[in-house]
């Protein structure tokens, strides 16, 4: 098969690769659409030791089952099903979790990928492969919102970052009953793009109201300046939900969080039930028309990564097509 292979920092090659060897009889999926995630970009820049070269990246996948031709979207998180966290329904915390695009599982920037049966969600005919591939990034936001609601938080809400994680979180907030949602995006090209399409308010970092209105702040970027902004803008008694993995240190105002009883929730991926719930919400239209993607051939993947790196891409998500 053909695949886009990570060779080292800022180096990708479109080349022949071995067909996937199914583990435990898992179905092989012919990839129709696969999204570029921020974590793929971290690996591409050489910032993720969990993804050593050479490796096929990509985990936001929709395609066709090789054994039946059925249309599916893929939950890329493979869990054991037996540990304490899996038994409690918190399988995203599984002690032996794996995800495609990290060893030992190759990713979806390829013509084929293999996942266990339980990781496949059927896709109805009215949903395109490009839309179905958005289930994974949106599920991250869906889970984050569910965590905030479980902590007792309600709107108004602020989302920091206009990539797919932030957009998915904003859509998930509205789908889960929070109507007053503002999204912050500093890139003028992307901000303009979102303002033409979004069902929520889009603004720039310097224009966010600093009046203590935001009971929920979701940081979809996860770097020191965005954590500082979240710390400053969350209301007393509010909740910061931290999805982004941009960097690991700095930014949080621990004194303010302590004095004003602000909760901080770190969140990684989603449970299998969150993924299914996200897919259901997508399929019945509760997350909008999902038209905020740009598509390119997988063979042009190296250029797509470079364009994202330069800030030249307006759409929150680039979908690659094998």
């Amino acid at each position: 098969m053909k695949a886009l292979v990570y060779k080292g920092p800022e180096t990708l090659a479109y080349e022949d690769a071995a067909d996937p060897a199914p583990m435990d009889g898992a179905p092989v999926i012919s990839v129709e659409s696969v999204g570029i995630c921020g974590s793929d970009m971290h690996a591409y820049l050489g910032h993720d030791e969990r993804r050593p070269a050479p490796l096929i990246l990509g985990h936001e996948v929709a395609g066709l089952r090789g054994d039946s031709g059925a249309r599916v979207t893929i939950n890329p998180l493979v869990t054991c099903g037996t540990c304490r966290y899996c038994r409690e329904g918190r399988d995203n915390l599984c002690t032996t979790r794996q995800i495609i695009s990290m060893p030992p599982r190759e990713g979806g920037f390829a013509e084929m990928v293999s996942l266990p049966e339980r990781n496949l969600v059927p896709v109805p005919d009215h949903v395109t492969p490009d839309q179905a591939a958005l289930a994974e990034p949106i599920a991250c936001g869906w889970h984050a919102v569910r965590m905030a609601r479980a902590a007792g938080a309600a709107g108004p809400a602020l989302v920091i970052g206009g990539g797919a994680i932030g957009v998915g979180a904003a859509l998930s907030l509205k789908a889960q009953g929070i109507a007053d949602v503002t999204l912050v995006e500093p890139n003028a090209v992307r901000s303009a793009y979102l303002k033409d399409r979004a069902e929520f308010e889009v603004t720039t970092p310097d224009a966010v109201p600093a009046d203590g209105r935001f009971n929920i702040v979701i940081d979809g970027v996860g770097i020191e300046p965005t954590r500082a902004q979240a710390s400053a803008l969350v209301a007393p008694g509010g909740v910061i939900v931290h999805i982004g993995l941009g960097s690991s240190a700095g930014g949080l105002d621990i004194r303010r969080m302590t004095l004003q009883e602000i909760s901080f929730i770190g969140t990684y991926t989603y449970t299998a039930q969150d993924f299914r719930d996200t897919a259901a919400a997508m399929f019945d239209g509760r997350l909008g028309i999902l038209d905020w993607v740009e598509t390119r051939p997988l063979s042009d993947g190296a250029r797509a990564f470079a364009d994202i790196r330069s800030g030249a891409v307006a759409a929150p998500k680039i979908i690659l097509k094998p």
Side-chain angles (χ1 to χ4, degrees):
M1 69 176 181
K2 289 290 188 182
L4 185 69
V5 182
Y6 168 61
K7 296 289 193 175
E10 301 192 50
T11 305
L12 296 164
Y14 182 68
E15 61 186 24
D16 291 323
D19 291 353
M23 297 182 183
D24 302 322
V28 173
I29 308 302
S30 295
V31 177
E32 292 187 291
S33 299
V34 54
I36 298 176
C37 177
S39 62
D40 296 318
M41 181 60 63
H42 294 159
Y44 167 75
L45 296 174
H47 296 166
D48 190 347
E49 69 281 356
R50 303 172 302 168
R51 291 178 164 95
L55 183 67
I56 301 173
L57 301 172
H59 57 271
E60 302 174 356
V61 179
L64 303 172
R65 290 184 59 140
D67 55 358
S68 67
R71 305 176 68 236
V72 294
T73 188
I74 292 172
N75 176 351
L77 198 66
V78 182
T79 57
C80 72
T82 59
C83 72
R84 163 194 163 188
Y85 299 104
C86 287
R87 295 195 308 271
E88 292 175 352
R90 297 190 293 163
D91 43 291
N92 60 315
L93 303 179
C94 175
T95 55
T96 60
R97 68 191 179 203
Q98 298 175 347
I99 190 169
I100 61 171
S101 78
M102 286 187 196
R105 295 182 179 273
E106 299 279 9
F109 289 152
E111 292 179 318
M112 292 180 284
V113 69
S114 179
L115 266 296
E117 182 81 33
R118 65 182 181 275
N119 287 67
L120 309 181
V121 175
V123 174
D125 290 341
H126 71 276
V127 177
T128 70
D130 296 346
Q131 292 170 324
L134 294 173
E136 197 282 335
I138 296 177
C140 294
W142 185 275
H143 176 73
V145 175
R146 185 173 66 79
M147 296 289 284
R149 298 304 301 270
L158 178 70
V159 178
I160 302 173
I165 296 296
V167 171
L171 294 171
S172 296
L173 283 160
K174 294 183 75 69
Q176 294 187 46
I178 296 176
D180 189 347
V181 178
T182 300
L183 182 142
V184 182
E185 172 51 53
N187 183 300
V189 174
R190 178 164 293 169
S191 180
Y193 179 97
L194 289 171
K195 285 178 180 178
D196 287 340
R197 292 166 171 78
E199 301 172 15
F200 42 81
E201 183 179 351
V202 179
T203 190
T204 56
D206 58 353
V208 182
D211 56 3
R213 73 174 67 174
F214 299 112
N215 296 317
I216 300 174
V217 177
I218 296 179
D219 183 351
V221 181
I223 59 176
E224 184 171 352
T226 58
R227 284 189 288 270
Q229 185 177 42
S231 296
L233 294 176
V234 67
V239 175
I240 298 170
V241 188
H242 192 271
I243 314 177
L245 288 171
S247 68
S248 61
L252 283 180
D253 185 343
I254 300 299
R255 181 176 177 81
R256 178 167 191 260
M257 292 174 65
T258 301
L259 292 175
Q260 299 192 335
E261 296 187 355
I262 294 164
S263 299
F264 178 90
I265 300 173
T267 173
Y268 179 71
T269 64
Y270 36 77
T271 67
Q273 187 61 54
D274 287 322
F275 191 93
R276 291 189 291 268
D277 290 345
T278 301
M282 291 171 59
F283 299 161
D284 67 17
R286 282 179 284 149
L287 293 168
I289 60 176
L290 305 175
D291 64 344
W292 33 271
V293 305
E294 177 185 332
T295 61
R296 301 194 189 185
L298 181 64
S299 57
D300 194 35
R303 173 62 63 86
F305 270 80
D307 287 347
I308 294 171
R309 173 83 166 103
S310 71
V313 178
K317 179 64 63 181
I318 287 184
I319 299 284
L320 299 179
K321 311 285 286 185

